[in-house]
């Protein structure tokens, strides 16, 4: 950001200004109303703060900027409260559009004095929109003020149709005036129509961006399985081309994505305590605008400055306080350029000099066992219920628990999953104790079904159909780069060996093929990793763990290895599975891919551009 001794930027903020009203109440003092019988909320203290466009203005002012606000308010007591709070920060309020036909918008938040938490529904008095008189007055003020400022921030945050002041006529005027003042920075933060602000630096959040893609017809109907963060990476350039401007998309704890001059960058969020996310977006856009309007910063640098402001905001209760001094003392956020939109980097971490790559097998390389989850699910429900007729509500609960269990244990040895099944059978109690099977017998029944399907697929003799897209080529590249490869699967070892040979990948696994053994104590993916490090002397940064389940990702991350999650759509053999993506992200995968068609970019990442 500009140094303190430089001329202060002058920034105009246009939008609906709210009064944030905090009522601190004591639940002990609540009592039944004599008139209605309803319990009262007994407030003992009130505090006020500017909200919506007013909060953006407040953040700008705290960062030592001269700020003018323009928007409609009512001629009521709350208007005086709002002006008083804005004036505390030296914000110019003389251009507020005051009218008896308007109300001053208010968000009333109830804070429990015993817990310090907001634990009651918020009471909203939304804006009323513009009438002809106030619209004309606002348009005259825009013509008067824009020539006098360095930047214009449009806060279009009213989400009730027809109730906000940034309506069609105001937008048309703003688009026109932007073409007449190309030397000024125009920034738009719009909740419902970011695509309308052509030529502005547009800053939607991720949900707003996805909704905008749908309205613009950019997003197809066949992309429901693609995770939202991947959609941002895939279509940010298209969106930027449509609005003819640079774009930043904020993604909460995942930082932000920026696109300018044909380059897509990801800025990672800063680590730290998150006390309250309220107001983070307002802090972000304030810092972004100040840095970008200096004319000296690339959008990437402005996004990094904005990331620091958002992190400072969420570390405080309420909408937070910003200062240039505090921001200058913060660590610079990490970032990376995204050259392949189908690779999601959860962190900016890179592997070291990779010597070993440990692969899961089913769902990561092989598709021979595609569909094992519904088979296991149906069997587990059948075993838990004992084929008894169960009430629909309870059956739904069992189904949810079984689905969650399978998702969480994907990658574990089958026998461990069957031990979990036996516990569920006992817990629900539908099956007499003498009819409850051992985990080994449950496993035999389950694997019997699965082996029949695998045998049928092998007999088809169409190997390519049952390899995840790009897997073979990726294995070849890693071997060519001198990396020792190994498989560690939760499937029985003899079956894994047979299936790796059938698919033509066994010969690439010069580090061995490992699978489940009769004894749980003899084998686990964690034990394989520990052996690599103890017996072969592999350092954590020399190991890459690749798999589609949270188990291998979790044990790999705990060991310090670089982890690659494969969010594979097993039925299609390529592309994304959104549920897998979410599980792998939660497990902490450093990188998440849909399949190995990303091989070239993934190889560059693993070898750090050395091959």
């Amino acid at each position: 950001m500009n140094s303190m001794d430089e001329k202060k930027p002058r920034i105009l903020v246009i939008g609906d200004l709210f009064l944030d009203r905090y009522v601190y109440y004591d639940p002990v003092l609540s009592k039944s109303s004599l008139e209605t019988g309803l319990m009262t909320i007994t407030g003992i203290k009130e505090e006020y703060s500017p909200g919506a466009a007013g909060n953006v203005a407040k953040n700008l002012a705290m960062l030592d900027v001269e700020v003018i606000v323009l928007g409609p308010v009512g001629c009521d007591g709350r208007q005086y409260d709002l002006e008083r709070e804005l004036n505390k920060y030296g914000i110019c309020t003389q251009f507020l559009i005051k009218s008896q036909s308007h109300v001053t918008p208010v968000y009333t938040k109830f804070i429990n004095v015993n817990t310090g938490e907001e634990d009651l529904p918020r009471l909203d008095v939304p804006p009323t929109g513009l009438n002809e008189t106030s619209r004309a007055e606002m348009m005259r003020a825009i013509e008067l003020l824009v020539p006098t400022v360095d930047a214009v921030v449009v806060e279009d945050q009213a989400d009730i149709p027809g109730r906000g002041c940034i309506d069609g006529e105001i937008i048309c005027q703003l688009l026109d005036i932007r073409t007449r003042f190309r030397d000024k920075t125009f920034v738009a933060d719009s909740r419902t129509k970011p695509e309308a602000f052509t030529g502005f630096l547009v800053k939607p959040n991720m949900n707003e961006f996805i909704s905008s893609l749908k309205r613009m017809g950019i997003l197809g109907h066949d992309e429901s399985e693609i995770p939202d963060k991947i959609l941002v990476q895939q279509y940010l350039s298209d969106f930027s081309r449509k609005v003819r401007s640079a774009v930043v998309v904020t993604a909460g704890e995942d930082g932000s994505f920026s696109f300018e001059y044909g380059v897509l960058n990801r800025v990672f969020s800063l680590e730290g305590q998150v006390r309250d996310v309220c107001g983070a977006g307002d802090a972000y856009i304030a810092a972004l605008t100040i840095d970008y309007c200096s004319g000296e910063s690339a959008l990437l640098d402005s996004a990094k400055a904005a990331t620091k402001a958002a992190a400072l905001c969420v570390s405080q209760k309420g909408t937070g306080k910003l200062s240039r001094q505090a921001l200058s003392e913060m660590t610079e956020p990490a970032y990376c350029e995204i050259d392949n939109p189908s690779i999601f980097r959860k962190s900016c971490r890179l592997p070291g000099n990779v010597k070993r790559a440990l692969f899961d097998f089913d769902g990561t390389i092989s598709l021979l066992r595609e569909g094992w989850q519904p088979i296991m699910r149906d069997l587990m429900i059948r075993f838990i219920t004992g084929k008894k007729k169960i009430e629909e509500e309870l059956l739904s609960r069992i189904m949810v628990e079984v689905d969650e269990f399978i998702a969480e244990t994907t990658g574990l040895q089958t026998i461990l999953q069957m031990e979990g099944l036996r516990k569920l059978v006992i817990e629900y109690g539908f099956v007499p104790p003498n009819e409850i099977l051992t985990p080994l017998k449950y496993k035999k029944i389950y694997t019997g079904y699965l082996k029949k399907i695998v045998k049928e697929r092998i007999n088809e003799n169409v190997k390519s159909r049952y390899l995840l897209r790009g897997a073979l080529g990726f294995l070849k590249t890693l071997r060519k780069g001198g990396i020792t490869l190994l498989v560690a699967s939760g499937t029985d070892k003899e079956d894994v060996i047979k299936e790796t040979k059938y698919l033509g990948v066994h010969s690439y696994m010069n580090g061995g093929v490992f699978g489940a053994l009769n004894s749980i104590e003899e084998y686990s993916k964690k034990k394989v990793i520990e052996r690599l490090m103890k017996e072969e002397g592999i350092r954590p940064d020399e190991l890459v763990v690749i798999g589609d389940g949270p188990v291998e990702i979790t044990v790999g991350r705990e060991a310090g290895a670089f982890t690659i999650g494969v969010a594979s759509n097993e039925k299609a053999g390529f592309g994304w599975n959104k549920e897998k993506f979410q599980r792998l992200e939660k497990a902490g995968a450093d990188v998440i891919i849909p399949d190995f068609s990303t091989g070239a970019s993934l190889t560059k990442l693993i070898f750090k551009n050395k091959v």
Side-chain angles (χ1 to χ4, degrees), residues 154-265:
V154 179
E155 276 293 307
D156 177 28
Q157 294 300 299
D159 52 8
I160 301 175
R163 301 294 289 267
C165 70
I166 309 299
D167 60 19
E169 290 186 53
I170 295 294
I171 291 174
C172 285
Q173 184 197 21
L174 289 167
L175 294 178
D176 174 68
I177 207 165
R178 186 204 64 80
T179 63
R180 290 185 274 129
F181 293 94
R182 296 182 181 276
D183 59 324
K184 301 182 187 300
T185 299
F186 288 78
V187 182
D189 185 9
S190 176
R191 184 164 292 177
T192 59
K193 45 186 178 295
E195 70 278 8
F197 293 89
T198 306
F200 283 58
L201 169 58
V202 183
K203 188 221 72 71
N205 64 30
M206 196 161 58
N207 291 333
E208 293 161 355
F209 180 78
I210 300 300
S211 297
S212 192
L213 291 181
K214 292 174 181 176
R215 286 192 299 272
M216 297 168 79
I218 293 176
L219 200 59
H221 296 294
D222 58 344
E223 296 175 294
S224 59
E225 273 300 311
I226 302 178
D228 287 351
K229 292 157 195 171
I230 301 301
L231 290 174
V232 173
Q233 293 186 168
Q234 287 184 346
Y235 292 116
L236 191 47
S237 60
D238 292 334
F239 182 90
S240 175
R241 206 160 37 245
K242 292 274 189 179
V243 299
R244 300 199 296 276
S245 184
V247 183
V248 176
V249 177
T250 53
E253 63 182 17
D254 284 303
S256 61
F257 302 84
S258 66
F259 186 84
E260 184 181 44
Y261 302 129
V263 179
L264 175 62
N265 282 301

Side-chain angles (χ1 to χ4, degrees), residues 174 191 219 243 250 265 314 329 338 378 434 453 469 481 506 512 524 539 547:
L174 289 167
R191 184 164 292 177
L219 200 59
V243 299
T250 53
N265 282 301
V314 301
E329 294 170 356
I338 299 168
D378 291 345
N434 63 320
I453 292 172
R469 179 173 287 181
H506 190 273
S524 71
R539 296 198 312 268

Side-chain angles (χ1 to χ4, degrees), residues 521-569:
E521 288 73 26
E522 289 181 76
Y523 170 80
S524 71
K525 292 176 181 179
K526 184 176 182 180
K527 283 184 169 64
V528 174
I529 292 173
E530 287 173 348
R531 184 185 63 75
L532 286 173
M533 293 181 176
K534 288 179 181 177
E535 296 180 15
E536 299 186 25
I538 298 299
R539 296 198 312 268
D541 67 332
E542 295 174 333
L543 174 65
V544 173
V545 175
I546 305 170
D548 74 319
V551 171
E552 56 265 19
I553 297 302
T554 299
V555 297
R557 184 173 51 80
E558 288 173 350
F562 187 79
T563 55
I564 299 173
V566 185
S568 54
N569 182 333

Side-chain angles (χ1 to χ4, degrees), residues 332-403:
E332 284 295 307
Y335 75 96
C336 68
E337 183 178 332
I338 299 168
D339 65 344
N340 187 324
S342 288
I343 293 180
F344 180 76
R345 293 184 62 181
K346 178 69 177 171
S347 72
C348 60
R349 181 173 175 246
L350 290 171
N353 180 24
V354 179
K355 294 182 178 178
R356 299 287 186 277
L358 183 150
F359 286 83
D360 174 53
F361 186 59
D362 298 312
T364 300
I365 295 174
S366 170
L367 303 173
L368 283 169
R369 292 172 180 256
E370 183 275 318
W372 69 265
Q373 296 96 331
I375 293 172
M376 182 179 284
R377 177 181 186 269
D378 291 345
L379 284 172
M380 286 182 75
I381 291 169
R382 193 178 88 192
F383 288 134
I384 289 168
T385 61
K387 301 181 185 178
K388 290 184 173 62
K389 188 172 178 60
I390 307 296
E391 290 182 9
E392 191 171 329
E393 185 178 343
L394 179 56
L395 184 59
S396 296
R397 199 172 80 213
I398 293 171
M399 289 176 174
V400 169
E401 187 167 3
V402 166
D403 285 340

Side-chain angles (χ1 to χ4, degrees), residues 249-324:
V249 177
T250 53
E253 63 182 17
D254 284 303
S256 61
F257 302 84
S258 66
F259 186 84
E260 184 181 44
Y261 302 129
V263 179
L264 175 62
N265 282 301
R266 165 97 181 277
V267 178
F268 297 94
S269 59
L270 290 169
E271 292 184 4
Q273 183 183 20
V274 177
R275 299 187 66 194
D276 193 340
V277 297
C278 183
D282 295 339
Y284 188 100
I285 201 163
L288 180 78
T289 302
I290 294 171
D291 198 80
Y292 199 65
C293 82
S294 70
E296 299 173 359
S297 295
L299 182 59
L300 171 61
D301 295 321
S302 299
K304 289 161 70 176
T307 299
K308 290 163 68 173
L312 181 57
C313 176
V314 301
S315 69
Q316 306 167 61
K317 276 287 186 183
T319 53
K321 293 188 180 298
L322 305 182
S323 74
R324 286 178 177 266

